[in-house]
Structures are given as C-alpha cells and as structure tokens.
Amino acid sequence: MRVLLYGSELSTATAAAALSSVGHVVTWLPHGDTPWSTLFNENWLRREPHLVDQIQQSLETGALTVIAQPEAKLAVDVLWLALSPSQRESAAGLLQHPALTWQTGSVLVNNSTFPVGETERLQHLTGECALGVALPDTLEEGRAWESFTRPGRWLLGCDDSLAEQKLRELLRAFNRRRDAFQVMPTRAAELTKLAINGMLATRISYMNEIAGLADTLGVDVEHVRQGMGGDSRIGYEYLYPGCGFGGPSFSRDLMRLADVQVASGRQSALLEHVLDINEQKKETLFRKLWSYYSGALEGKTIAIWGAAFKPGTARIDHAPVLTLLDALWAQGVHVQLHDPAATPALKAAVGPRNDLVTFVDNPYDACEGANALMLVTEWKTYWNPDWQRLASQLGDKLILDGRNIYDPEFVASCGLKYRGIGRRADPTSL
C-alpha cells in the first residue's frame, strides 16, 4: 500500500520503520515543529532499539521517503496521522491540501491522542473520500519497535467493514501469531485509550496514598502491596508506590480525559484527585529530605540517580525530577545528577546552572562529596550498587529510594540510613 505518515511523534517514527520494512511504500512528512533534520538526531529516537537502523535501511532501499512538504499529486491508500494534541489543526490543514489525492477506499488512520469524536471530524474534512479509523497509540517508550511489530493488542475503532479490512491488511505482517485486534466503534476506541490510562493512574495514586498512610502508621507498605496483589480481584500490576509518574503520552492522555470530562459536563472529582496526588508525590523525596535535616538544607550537596520519566527513555516530559529539582534549588541545595540517557533533555529544560552537575558514565561520580543520594528513576544499573562504596562517599550516609527497589534492612546493614516510599529499615531487626 502507499502510505503517507504525518507527524514527528515516536508512534510516527515507529510506524514509518515498521510499515516500510514489510513492503509498503511509505512517505513520511514530519511535522513542521520538529523537522527531519532535528527529529533524526533526537536522543529519545536514537535510544529506541532497532528503530533508527530500520529507518536508515528503508531510506537506502527506497521503501521510505522523507519529505518536507506534500508533493504535487500525492496519491495515498492510507494516511496515518500521529500528532500531539496541540497539532489538531495541522491535521485538518493536511487533509485539505490540494496536493493530496484520495483513492477509492482510502483509509484515514487516526493514531493521535485527539478529543473523542475527532476521527469522525477528520473524516468529514476529506469530503467522505476516506474511511476513518481510530487506532489509539499504545506503544511503550523504550520498546516501541517490539510494541508495534509484536503487539499484545491493537485497539481498533471502526464503523465500516471495508475500513476494517483495509486496516487489517495494512498491519497483517504484525498480526500473524494471533488476532491482536479488539474492534469496537470509533468513539469507543478513542475513549477506551484514555480510560485505560486513567485507571492505571488511579491504581498508582491509590497505592501512593496507602504508602503515605503506612508511613504515618509505621507499617511497611511492601507487606500491604503483597497482600493486595495476592487478591485475584486486584493483582500486582501498577501497585508500586513511588515518587510520581510522568511521560509525554501518559500525562497527555490523563489531561485529555480530564478535558473530555469537562466538555461533557461531567467533571470528575476522582480524576482530579488522582492528578493532584501525583503532583504531590513528586515532592515526596524532598519532604523526606527536609524532615531528615529539619529544614537545614542550604549548602547541602545531594546526588540524584535518574532523571528520565521511566527507565529506557531519554525523555523527561512531566518527570518527577523536574519538581524535585525546583524544590531543592529553592533551598540552596547543590545537585549532582547521573542519568545514562536523559541529561541532554534535562540540560535543555533547565538551562545552564551553577548548582547542577550532570554525569552520564559512572553513577558513583554523582555521589562523590554528596551528603545523600536520591533514587528517582529505576534504571537497571542502579539496582545493585556497591553499598560499601556509597557508604564511604555519602557524607551523611542517607539513601532516599523513590522507587522502593532496595531492601531497607540490607541497606541499613551496610551502614546506611534508608528512607523509601512507605518503607524504612526496622532497627529492631538489625
């Protein structure tokens, strides 16, 4: 099929790589906000396994072509839109571009996080020349290629049997193991994507509330988590307390769901509370640090491990570290931060600062001369550190574990003081 992709999102890049790898003739039009010359050098794109290599290979074979503007008489069988929520009008502009030539039975794939009902609106803008389908973005950053080529599930919103047939053919190479499509009406698919992330966020925020209560009551929240997860009605997924969630897609979906609620006249007190809890939890490590030092933070040097919003990505969109850094700097704290991927994005976000030093190679470099260490992102390289080395480096021997990945009692047995989210070492057991 002749496919035109529009956008500069991770989902666009992944679709370009995957579709061109299986025989489709793909033309990629990056969004003007992030042109090809910028996009191809983005750290978050280059860190995705297989993606850049496949894009380069497809460019060399001619299966993929990147353009800066729509060319004259650009005929397409499939127009794939993967844009950010703020780029809705760009989608409308492309659909009405005079160079775009629709073929009989052309399919408009909405892979963007737009308001519920937007797929229908976009289809109308084609003069009903295209068959509209909603294919919500369900990629996982850090494993986008695997998510696309070996999907656990595709949410397919479709109100036309011919459109469903065309979309299945487009993605047939990635649907061989089993039928991964869950087909439903278009609007239902758009809302389902938002509702899923709303539910996951609710579980995370609820667990963080329980962790706060456990702290107050002197209970180890890990016992509570295990007990809750062992109930078959609940399960273990997304029951890990921590210092808040972030990310471009997850955060945008939650805000979009909130917008949908408001627009429908059904404002959600639950969702507002979930979002409030998450913002408060981004300050959890700072509050624990403040409490430990009784507010005397000025002049301290704090090491931070992790800036990315999750392991495996170079992005810091809505990441907890941003809130944490603002709080630390407001108190005159000097920060030494290590992250294997996200330091370029962090530097771009905060600008040059005398109170921030970043490291990308050795995590222990960030701890040299520091008073305490905060674990913010649970990169695998941080899971089993040299505790004796940390004990010799950290002036006050304090570990603040924002992801509860360490064993409190083992850390304490190494001569360090441990504080987690709803967890701390039991001195009576040491």
Side-chain angles (χ1 to χ4, degrees), residues 57-200:
Q57 181 178 332
S58 294
L59 287 170
E60 291 170 1
T61 62
L64 174 64
T65 303
V66 178
I67 61 175
Q69 293 292 334
E71 301 169 355
K73 296 182 180 178
L74 185 61
V76 299
D77 299 308
V78 176
L79 174 57
W80 183 295
L81 301 175
L83 300 161
S84 70
S86 64
Q87 296 168 347
R88 289 173 58 197
E89 293 311 311
S90 299
L94 177 62
L95 292 177
Q96 298 171 314
H97 198 285
L100 199 61
T101 303
W102 295 103
Q103 307 300 301
T104 302
S106 294
V107 176
L108 169 64
V109 179
N110 179 17
N111 190 225
S112 312
T113 302
F114 287 158
V116 175
E118 188 69 3
T119 303
E120 296 172 18
R121 186 182 83 91
L122 294 173
Q123 182 180 352
H124 292 327
L125 292 177
T126 71
E128 306 300 332
C129 294
L131 304 170
V133 300
L135 190 73
D137 173 17
T138 55
L139 294 183
E140 297 179 41
E141 292 213 25
R143 53 184 303 274
W145 173 263
E146 183 179 354
S147 298
F148 194 106
T149 59
R150 298 177 66 84
R153 178 180 63 163
W154 292 101
L155 281 176
L156 173 57
C158 187
D159 301 314
D160 184 281
S161 59
L162 179 59
E164 179 184 342
Q165 181 186 43
K166 291 287 186 71
L167 198 285
R168 285 180 175 275
E169 176 61 25
L170 177 71
L171 299 174
R172 182 164 53 86
F174 316 116
N175 195 43
R176 289 198 67 191
R177 290 186 301 161
R178 61 181 178 84
D179 188 358
F181 287 103
Q182 185 172 2
V183 184
M184 60 185 68
T186 302
R187 288 193 173 211
E190 292 170 332
L191 180 57
T192 298
K193 167 64 188 312
L194 302 179
I196 288 171
N197 280 346
M199 174 60 79
L200 298 181

Side-chain angles (χ1 to χ4, degrees), residues 287-306:
R287 290 196 294 267
K288 288 180 178 291
L289 188 74
W290 174 277
S291 176
Y292 182 85
Y293 288 110
S294 301
L297 293 177
E298 187 171 2
K300 300 290 185 186
T301 297
I302 302 300
I304 292 179
W305 279 359

Side-chain angles (χ1 to χ4, degrees), residues 368-394:
E368 194 63 46
N371 295 96
L373 169 64
M374 292 179 163
L375 185 285
V376 177
T377 310
E378 65 275 30
W379 289 93
K380 290 301 184 185
T381 190
Y382 302 149
W383 278 71
N384 294 102
D386 183 337
W387 295 111
Q388 283 70 34
R389 183 173 181 178
L390 287 178
S392 68
Q393 286 182 302
L394 301 175

Side-chain angles (χ1 to χ4, degrees), residues 215 220-222 404 406-408 418-425:
D215 253 341
D220 186 342
V221 75
E222 180 63 11
N404 285 1
Y406 301 132
D407 182 321
Y418 177 91
R419 299 291 184 274
I421 310 299
R423 305 201 75 193
R424 66 174 62 207

Side-chain angles (χ1 to χ4, degrees), residues 220 406-414 418 424-426 429-430:
D220 186 342
Y406 301 132
D407 182 321
E409 293 183 6
F410 182 82
V411 174
S413 72
C414 296
Y418 177 91
R424 66 174 62 207
D426 180 2
S429 65
L430 300 178

Side-chain angles (χ1 to χ4, degrees), residues 321-343:
V321 75
L322 297 173
T323 302
L324 176 60
L325 287 173
D326 284 341
L328 292 172
W329 289 332
Q331 298 299 318
V333 172
H334 182 83
V335 176
Q336 298 177 173
L337 182 146
H338 176 275
D339 189 286
T343 54

